[in-house]
Amino acid sequence: MTFHELKLIPPLLEAISKEGYTQPTPIQEKAIPHILEGKDIFGCAQTGTGKTAAFALPLLQLLTQNRATAQQGIKVLILAPTRELALQINDSFKAYGHNLNIRHTVVFGGVSQHAQTTILRKGVDVLIATPGRLLDLMQQGYIKLNAVEYFVLDEADRMLDMGFINDIKKIISKLPAKRQTVFFSATAPPEIRKFADTLLKSPVSVNIAPVATTAELIKQSVYFVSQENKRPLLRHVLKSESIEHALVFTRTKHGADKVVKELNKNGIKSEAIHGNKSQNARERALKGFKDRSIRVLVATDIASRGIDVDKLTHVINFEIPEQAETYVHRIGRTGRAGESGVALSFCNTDERAYLRNIHKLIKKNIDVVATHPFS
Ligand code: AMP
């Protein structure tokens, strides 16, 4: 599927291609048509899936198309649990909306409110906010929500975990009843579903990759190893195990290049794909990996998006990702469609805390490979 087939307007298509996106992610494919149709959405997806664009693109389009009839005031309200996420969403609106004349801003706590209220006074169409600061500014009369037509609650599960429920309820009570609501959560336990029911009208559910089940199909193991021994260990693993074909994840572009250099020097044909590589170079590497002329593809998380390789048997985490969800996404590239996959992870002392978070998320401990030459 292409972005064009999702019926996005040319200014958005142009912005998307400028961002370097070649095709929609699954959550975008599923959510964008429904949002454009005016439906409420219950979306279950984690960060890293492209969920921000899944709501930002259609909302920008709806705003542009409905502008003639709209009254003054904030039309889109997006609530996010943290300042970092709020800033990221604001950056996305900036990137995707750069051909459109739509005013957006972000407010969050922990900084002076002066700069924020100055922008608000001039008027904005899209407001991205964390709950505490939003309420504060509402109570001081800087923000009114009576013109809001579209409301997005992002990372709802984290919002509840962080104890924002009462703030959110207060905010919602000030929203017009007639509105379109998009609800995103990484997980969907009963309390989240119950909460969503109070906000959404006949919602369409969109889900991607149920985290725990993906992980269950995959044989996972971890090697404890120092950072300097990771490259020798990778060589060792690639030599001794029956690994025909592997996708290796590194945290940085530089790290990816180093791994590739070392593997090639040792006769293991590999290529890196990351953001510093041209589109051509990336496509070449991917093609080589798919037709098996390249045995090992080394990728960063962002670059790996859109890599869809049939029968990928092995994923190797050269570094443990900081976000547990990222781990699940990485290993989910193998073991697709019920086939078994293998995920190996290299963990140094500093990374053990990340590993603990992964154990919590996938609700099991990953087997440790106790005997290897670099333990
Ligand atoms: P998110 O899940 O919204 O945090 O997005 C994760 C990352 O994926 C962001 O860096 C986006 O810029 C990027 N991204 C979103 N949509 C696409 C796409 N269709 N193709 C490639 N990258 C994307």
Side-chain angles (χ1 to χ4, degrees), residues 35 51-60 78 89 93 152 154 182 184:
I35 300 180
K51 69 180 163 64
T52 313
F55 63 77
L57 292 168
L59 290 179
L60 282 165
I78 298 164
I89 297 171
F93 271 84
V152 179
D154 201 8
V182 174
F184 266 113

Side-chain angles (χ1 to χ4, degrees), residues 195-228:
F195 180 45
D197 282 345
T198 65
L199 294 182
L200 302 169
K201 288 191 193 107
S202 324
V204 176
S205 283
V206 291
N207 277 303
I208 67 146
V211 163
T213 53
T214 322
E216 270 150 28
L217 288 170
I218 300 165
K219 186 177 174 311
Q220 302 164 63
S221 41
V222 61
Y223 292 74
F224 290 115
V225 59
S226 66
Q227 192 62 28
E228 18 344 321

Side-chain angles (χ1 to χ4, degrees), residues 3 21-25 28 46-53 88 96 302 305:
F3 281 108
Y21 303 173
T22 50
Q23 69 186 94
T25 64
Q28 291 162 6
Q46 285 112 13
T47 293
T49 54
K51 69 180 163 64
T52 313
Q88 271 172 39
Y96 309 143
I302 297 280
R305 223 156 271 135

Side-chain angles (χ1 to χ4, degrees), residues 24 43 54 58 102 111 123 144 168 221 251 253 264 286 291:
I102 286 177
V111 294
K144 295 216 160 23
I168 295 173
S221 41
R251 194 158 37 219
K253 301 171 196 173
N264 281 325
L286 198 54
D291 70 22

